[in-house]
Amino acid sequence: DTQLTQSPSFLSASVGDRVTITCRASQGINTYLAWYQQKPGQAPKLLIYAASTLQIGVPSRFSGSGSGTEFTLTISSLQPEDFATYYCQQLNAYPTWTFGQGTKVEIK
Amino acid sequence: QVQLGQSGAEVKKPGASVKVSCKASGYTFIGHYIHWVRQAPGQGLEHMGWFNPNTGGTVSAQRFQGRLTLTTDRSTTMAYMELNRLTSDDTALYFCARQGGNGNYALDYWGQGTLVTVSS
């Protein structure tokens, strides 16, 4: 299975900060990568697909980049509603579309 | 609008089976795969497998093979996840999710989740 490693696992930031989360794949996955946001008690919400395409309705402060084995999710100016856990997911290798372990973004 | 509505919480004993349902509406059911993802308490997301309502094709993650059955009913636009021989490690929130289309292969709509608790 293709493994995904996110870093950091936890970060503390302030409103207005620029935040970057990295996702590394154990083998090349082209741009078959998605990013999700999950808040407590809720289902995940799709933010980015195909590594860099913003899902309809997602604010433009979210952006994604990368291909192959290294990917990033950037929040250009953190807003109060962005405090959540973020997951990457590879969509390349069956049978399992693995997720990263998650990055929890908390208020400093 | 696209909606995925899941069945209610379940409590099961070890060794039992559970069947979770997911009602899809607001889109062409056979045009999108349905995936199942679970999340143990306080843990991350785990992809379980998917079902193609158009062809009947299905794939399950290796760790569930032999225990997991994914199905759909096209007439009612329902998807089902059945997990057998439950253990306490299967206690989790189970989500159904729709795979997108037109170049978006990610999971673009999700059900609200169904809590399955396995306890003696």
Side-chain angles (χ1 to χ4, degrees):
Chain A
D1 287 0
T2 302
Q3 306 301 319
L4 297 180
T5 303
Q6 288 183 233
S7 59
S9 296
F10 172 88
L11 74 86
S12 182
S14 301
V15 172
D17 284 353
R18 181 181 182 88
V19 166
T20 298
I21 299 169
T22 298
C23 178
R24 289 187 174 87
S26 60
Q27 59 193 66
I29 57 170
N30 200 335
T31 57
Y32 291 102
L33 188 103
W35 290 97
Y36 302 87
Q37 175 194 68
Q38 188 181 32
K39 297 180 180 179
Q42 296 184 17
K45 173 188 174 183
L46 176 63
L47 300 175
I48 302 275
Y49 64 91
S52 61
T53 303
L54 200 64
Q55 172 71 347
I56 294 171
V58 174
S60 59
R61 63 180 180 273
F62 291 93
S63 64
S65 65
S67 68
T69 60
E70 186 150 337
F71 303 85
T72 59
L73 172 70
T74 299
I75 309 172
S76 60
S77 177
L78 200 64
Q79 297 302 300
E81 60 268 30
D82 301 336
F83 292 96
T85 300
Y86 294 84
Y87 294 92
C88 57
Q89 183 192 26
Q90 65 85 14
L91 317 171
N92 183 64
Y94 283 146
T96 306
W97 281 6
T98 44
F99 289 90
Q101 82 277 15
T103 296
K104 188 173 184 179
V105 177
E106 289 201 344
I107 302 173
K108 184 183 285 185
Chain B
Q1 70 281 24
V2 175
Q3 290 187 322
L4 298 174
Q6 297 186 225
S7 49
E10 303 262 12
V11 179
K12 296 291 182 181
K13 293 193 182 303
S17 298
V18 68
K19 191 170 187 176
V20 176
S21 65
C22 172
K23 170 67 176 176
S25 60
Y27 71 96
T28 302
F29 184 63
I30 62 172
H32 298 262
Y33 289 24
I34 292 287
H35 291 245
W36 291 87
V37 175
R38 75 177 186 179
Q39 186 170 38
Q43 302 301 308
L45 302 170
E46 180 178 26
H47 184 252
M48 301 179 70
W50 55 259
F51 191 93
N52 180 348
N54 188 38
T55 65
T58 184
V59 166
S60 298
Q62 197 158 5
R63 65 170 291 177
F64 298 109
Q65 285 182 7
R67 285 207 303 142
L68 178 64
T69 303
L70 303 179
T71 57
T72 64
D73 183 335
R74 288 162 59 166
S75 67
T76 58
T77 66
M78 296 284 290
Y80 300 94
M81 186 283 299
E82 184 171 19
L83 190 61
N84 301 321
R85 303 192 300 278
L86 294 168
T87 72
S88 57
D89 289 342
D90 295 316
T91 293
L93 190 58
Y94 289 76
F95 295 100
C96 61
R98 187 190 86 156
Q99 181 177 327
N102 296 321
N104 175 5
Y105 299 110
L107 307 180
D108 60 355
Y109 288 91
W110 293 65
Q112 80 275 21
T114 296
L115 180 63
V116 175
T117 303
V118 183
S119 173
S120 55

